[in-house]
Amino acid sequence: YALLAKCWWRCPMPSPYFRTMAVPGCVSGCLWSCGNICALYVVEALGQGIGYSLIQASVVISGLWGIFYYRELRGRAAWNWALGCSVCLLGCALLAAERAPAISQT
């Protein structure tokens, strides 16, 4: 972005505010790394089908933050998101049901 802003648009470079953003940037990077490490353990424990699907379903949590805390979607757009979210969660539930061991009756 910085190269594009400087050369193409010929506008001044944005100030990076290194002193202000250093601590929040490092904390968010550490949290992101911890999440990736935990994701590796989840995939190892649950298998590729369920583990990876649950990790990718984290977009549901991000969407909920966007809708309820930041008020990014309203009206029809929020309902469309809810429909997509329900399809995602249904897929996760179906994958979980596929992996569940069958109960044998003896």
Side-chain angles (χ1 to χ4, degrees), residues 5-56:
K6 186 71 174 167
C7 297
W8 186 266
W9 294 323
R10 305 220 188 272
C11 64
M13 296 288 290
S15 178
Y17 299 105
F18 285 120
R19 292 178 194 242
T20 304
M21 297 306 298
V23 173
C26 287
V27 170
S28 64
C30 289
L31 287 173
W32 182 73
S33 295
C34 289
N36 280 336
I37 291 170
C38 291
L40 291 173
Y41 286 120
V42 166
V43 170
E44 182 181 335
L46 297 177
Q48 288 286 336
I50 297 174
Y52 189 71
S53 299
L54 288 176
I55 292 167
Q56 294 304 313

Side-chain angles (χ1 to χ4, degrees), residues 54 56-68 81 85 89:
L54 288 176
Q56 294 304 313
S58 65
V59 74
V60 173
I61 303 301
S62 300
L64 290 173
W65 270 103
I67 289 173
F68 293 115
W81 179 86
C85 178
L89 294 177

Side-chain angles (χ1 to χ4, degrees), residues 54-105:
L54 288 176
I55 292 167
Q56 294 304 313
S58 65
V59 74
V60 173
I61 303 301
S62 300
L64 290 173
W65 270 103
I67 289 173
F68 293 115
Y69 186 74
Y70 294 107
R71 308 258 190 242
E72 292 177 343
L73 296 177
R74 295 175 192 263
R76 186 168 178 90
W79 286 107
N80 288 340
W81 179 86
L83 178 66
C85 178
S86 62
V87 169
C88 177
L89 294 177
L90 177 67
C92 289
L94 290 174
L95 283 171
E98 177 70 25
R99 187 174 187 272
I103 299 173
S104 62
Q105 296 184 9

